[in-house]
């Protein structure tokens, strides 16, 4: 039952994100970069986005470890925003 509650929470967040005027689609992936769910794009494109984001997150983690030597400094979230897109 708790898994169903988690799915409902994810669905609610997706519903809120889709209300944004510029929302073109989404990709949900696990920590290994495996696409779990996607919308408004082909699966191949979703996998490509997941690969690029996973690579970017790995590089961000490496740089954070180099900048701040304390082991408890861990990347919790990453937000990218341009004039036209946000990730």
């Amino acid at each position: 039952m708790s898994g169903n509650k988690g799915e409902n929470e994810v669905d609610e967040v997706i519903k809120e994100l889709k209300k944004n005027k510029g929302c073109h689609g989404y990709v949900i992936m696990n920590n290994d970069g495996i696409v779990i769910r996607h919308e408004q794009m082909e699966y191949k494109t979703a996998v490509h986005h997941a690969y690029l984001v996973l690579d970017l997150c790995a590089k961000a983690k490496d740089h954070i470890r180099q900048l701040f030597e304390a082991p408890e400094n861990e990347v919790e979230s990453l937000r990218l925003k341009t004039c036209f897109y946000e990730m």
Side-chain angles (χ1 to χ4, degrees), residues 3 6 10-11 14 16 24 31 40 44 48 52 55-56 58-59 63 67 69 73 79 81 83 87:
V10 170
D11 290 335
I14 290 171
E16 289 298 315
H24 298 289
N31 288 337
Q40 300 293 354
K44 185 178 178 180
H48 184 71
L52 294 173
D55 186 48
L56 179 64
K59 289 177 181 178
H63 288 295
L67 289 171
E69 295 177 13
N73 283 315
R79 180 178 178 184
K81 188 173 182 181
C83 293
M87 221 174 177

Side-chain angles (χ1 to χ4, degrees), residues 21-63:
K21 181 179 156 186
C23 182
H24 298 289
Y26 66 87
V27 177
I28 298 176
M29 62 185 218
N30 66 10
N31 288 337
D32 297 322
I34 296 172
V35 175
I36 299 169
R37 201 188 308 181
H38 64 93
E39 189 174 296
Q40 300 293 354
M41 65 183 75
E42 294 181 15
Y43 179 74
K44 185 178 178 180
T45 304
V47 169
H48 184 71
H49 282 281
Y51 167 77
L52 294 173
V53 169
L54 187 67
D55 186 48
L56 179 64
C57 288
K59 289 177 181 178
K61 286 180 183 181
D62 288 342
H63 288 295

